[in-house]
Amino acid sequence: MNAFNQYLEDHAADFEAELCEFLRIPSVSADAACKPQMDRAAQWVAERFRRLDFPVVEVIPTAGHPLVFAQSPTVPGAPTILVYGHYDVQPVDPLDQWTTPPFEPTVRDGKLFARGATDDKGQLLTHVKSAEAWIRTAGKLPLNLKYMIEGEEEIGSAGLEEFLKPNSKRLKCNCVVISDGCQFAPGVPAITYGLRGIAYFELRLTGPNRDLHSGSFGGSVTNPANALAQILAGLIDRHGKIKIPGFYRRVLPLSDRERSELAALPFDEQEYQRQLGVDGTFGEEGYTSLERRWARPTFDVCGLWSGFQGEGAKTVLPANAGAKISFRLVPNQKPEQVADGLRKQIAKLCPPGITWELTDLHGAPGVVVALDSPYVEAAARAIESAFGRRPVFTREGGSIPIVVRFAQVLKTTPLLIGWGQDDDNAHSPNEKFSLADFHRGIKASAKLWEELSKIKM
Ligand code: BES
Ligand code: ZN
């Protein structure tokens, strides 16, 4: 591994510069105005594989943003690994809360700040640079790599979903490697065996046919903003239980063994509160913070609007109100069933004088994967060699919608090895990625190719 380590050392600055170039492309999948940037980002990714002389490099159009598919030269008899990642990023607002602009990557205190730094451009690039290091030092990779890098993860992966079934042969692999998540804590790397699912909706309420004087009319007609508050408050009780018929029916309970394993992780409740700047935590009664975040379903309002938002006071009874709401799901809940139950509950809670409309924006079930596989063992060894510590086993509260579909359609297990940190500000202002984690990620990935290549097919 000597020439190899030398290569990583000699090219560390190049790798960082390349990541910065990637981060300068504002590939916000949710923003229609970014469409040309989405194509640019896809081409940028494809170009990495062309430079490595991969025999297959394709930018595949979809109804939404393009997919990038690439394949390394065939190594007969060796395992085939699919690397999944996403080049799309979340919107940047509130923009005024960024210390430096989101698409002008800046290093402060060993951390690279930019939208997409950790989620997922920095993390996905580790698996490209590791392949580069192999090719430039050993002349070739020790196994077969396929890459599927998409541009719609942050908006539900519709294009990849369409592509998956008819192209399952091309994506056929022994295991899917994904770095799009977090370590447990700084210096405590993790292998993730569970992700939550999601069911995301937009709720729109309409009341009177126009905004009204709140003095002249207030108290005589239902105010949609008041109604919205009532409905939302009626979806969860003060014990943190979600009030939707049948919501918990299929929830896979935590086993005693898993509960004690989670309890044994080095998690400090006080430190958690301090980190988030809150003076107390809240969640479903009877569960710890880690259980609530990783293994229990939740309801959150992600956005809320109605009435007057300007400076000072305006006495108005608004004609409309709306909210974006999400439920995080755990195995074996189904997003469609949540949607049905939610409609019933809103119908029950909605006061007279209001019409409502619920739009289902996206959904995906949660997933838990088995840990007793040679792939997990290989990953544990690779991580240990790069991070100097054996990984702990965690679940995550976030969702990667396509993971379940990979399991169902490709019949393979995902290997979730996130290089990020919980406080990397994914989806928030000042997103960042530790450069040390970036380089350790590259090293771990390179070692992973070696470890996986030893698995007998
Ligand atoms: N990288 C995240 C998923 C994630 C978050 C994994 C935290 C582990 C820890 C991913 O890019 C993401 O944010 N996904 C969305 C999916 C949704 C928009 C369908 C999410 O979880 O909100
Ligand atoms: Zn991500």
Side-chain angles (χ1 to χ4, degrees):
M1 283 291 260
N2 255 345
F4 185 85
N5 283 334
Q6 193 61 48
Y7 185 88
L8 294 187
E9 218 178 289
D10 292 348
H11 293 81
D14 299 341
F15 294 166
E16 291 173 15
E18 220 170 312
L19 174 54
C20 288
E21 196 180 287
F22 194 12
L23 291 169
R24 277 188 209 106
I25 307 173
S27 47
V28 180
S29 49
D31 185 350
C34 286
K35 184 68 193 147
Q37 309 298 340
M38 301 310 290
D39 296 337
R40 242 181 89 208
Q43 288 299 342
W44 189 94
V45 173
E47 179 60 24
R48 301 312 102 191
F49 302 116
R50 291 193 198 105
R51 289 184 187 177
L52 295 178
D53 291 325
F54 275 22
V56 178
V57 183
E58 291 172 35
V59 176
I60 303 161
T62 72
H65 305 307
L67 305 168
V68 182
F69 178 68
Q71 214 171 318
S72 65
T74 305
V75 180
T80 299
I81 305 302
L82 177 67
V83 177
Y84 165 81
H86 61 96
Y87 65 80
D88 65 322
V89 302
Q90 284 272 325
V92 298
D93 62 294
L95 188 57
D96 59 347
Q97 288 178 28
W98 286 77
T99 305
T100 47
F103 298 111
E104 290 175 25
T106 310
V107 179
R108 286 195 294 280
D109 195 21
K111 315 222 164 54
L112 183 57
F113 288 80
R115 173 57 89 226
T118 188
D119 187 7
D120 176 41
K121 289 174 173 173
Q123 295 202 49
L124 87 80
L125 198 60
T126 63
H127 296 303
V128 181
K129 293 291 125 188
S130 63
E132 175 187 314
W134 267 95
I135 292 167
R136 301 284 182 248
T137 58
K140 63 185 187 67
L141 280 155
L143 79 180
N144 301 290
L145 291 181
K146 294 177 178 176
Y147 290 80
M148 171 48 74
I149 312 296
E150 68 152 316
E152 295 183 302
E153 195 274 344
E154 302 289 7
I155 52 171
S157 299
L160 180 51
E161 167 80 51
E162 277 277 299
F163 180 84
L164 197 57
K165 240 192 177 154
N167 295 281
S168 59
K169 271 218 182 95
R170 295 177 76 197
L171 298 179
K172 198 170 165 353
C173 59
N174 301 107
C175 165
V176 186
V177 168
I178 304 173
S179 291
D180 186 22
C182 297
Q183 303 177 52
F184 181 69
V188 190
I191 293 179
T192 298
Y193 65 95
L195 293 169
R196 285 199 291 192
I198 191 165
Y200 198 113
F201 306 90
E202 181 167 322
L203 173 62
R204 289 175 177 271
L205 304 189
T206 309
N209 58 11
R210 61 192 188 281
D211 281 6
L212 300 173
H213 190 296
S214 69
S216 307
F217 298 95
S220 70
V221 285
T222 311
N223 177 328
N226 293 24
L228 182 63
Q230 265 172 38
I231 293 172
L232 296 177
L235 294 177
I236 187 163
D237 72 13
R238 59 195 176 80
H239 306 289
K241 279 269 187 266
I242 292 152
K243 310 297 284 178
I244 286 182
F247 186 82
Y248 291 95
R249 197 173 301 141
R250 288 163 188 268
V251 165
L252 185 71
L254 276 152
S255 66
D256 290 342
R257 173 160 172 213
E258 192 175 2
R259 293 193 86 168
S260 53
E261 281 164 1
L262 297 188
L265 289 169
F267 179 79
D268 180 341
E269 184 73 25
Q270 296 303 320
E271 171 56 23
Y272 182 57
Q273 292 183 20
R274 200 199 53 75
Q275 205 194 86
L276 300 182
V278 293
D279 63 2
T281 52
F282 172 77
E284 189 183 359
E285 236 167 63
Y287 294 93
T288 66
S289 286
L290 282 186
E291 290 169 347
R292 288 167 176 171
R293 291 167 65 192
W294 294 351
R296 296 298 299 172
T298 62
F299 161 64
D300 278 290
V301 177
C302 298
L304 198 57
W305 62 93
S306 184
F308 181 61
Q309 315 278 317
E311 200 181 321
K314 180 188 183 206
T315 45
V316 63
L317 192 164
N320 306 289
K324 308 255 186 195
I325 61 181
S326 83
F327 297 86
R328 293 285 169 173
L329 311 180
V330 299
N332 301 312
Q333 291 180 291
K334 294 202 168 119
E336 312 81 59
Q337 281 164 349
V338 173
D340 288 346
L342 177 61
R343 281 178 206 282
K344 287 196 188 109
Q345 192 65 0
I346 294 174
K348 218 158 65 187
L349 292 167
C350 188
I354 297 286
T355 56
W356 58 273
E357 192 189 347
L358 186 75
T359 314
D360 197 334
L361 291 180
H362 57 68
V367 63
V368 172
V369 297
L371 287 172
D372 55 348
S373 86
Y375 306 105
V376 170
E377 241 334 287
R381 282 196 297 271
I383 289 171
E384 184 172 9
S385 87
F387 286 80
R389 185 190 154 136
R390 243 187 106 75
V392 295
F393 294 99
T394 60
R395 288 168 71 161
E396 290 270 24
S399 315
I400 306 176
I402 208 68
V403 166
V404 176
R405 300 293 295 146
F406 280 151
Q408 290 167 342
V409 178
L410 304 180
K411 313 237 174 326
T412 53
T413 47
L415 193 51
L416 296 155
I417 44 176
W419 312 135
Q421 299 293 346
D422 257 355
D423 68 352
D424 274 345
N425 295 326
H427 298 203
S428 307
N430 303 309
E431 179 176 346
K432 63 180 157 63
F433 189 33
S434 147
L435 288 172
D437 283 335
F438 177 56
H439 294 296
R440 281 193 284 253
I442 297 171
K443 211 175 222 177
S445 170
K447 187 76 182 164
L448 181 62
W449 306 149
E450 182 189 330
E451 292 289 347
L452 289 171
S453 74
K454 295 181 198 156
I455 296 175
K456 290 279 156 289
M457 287 297 109

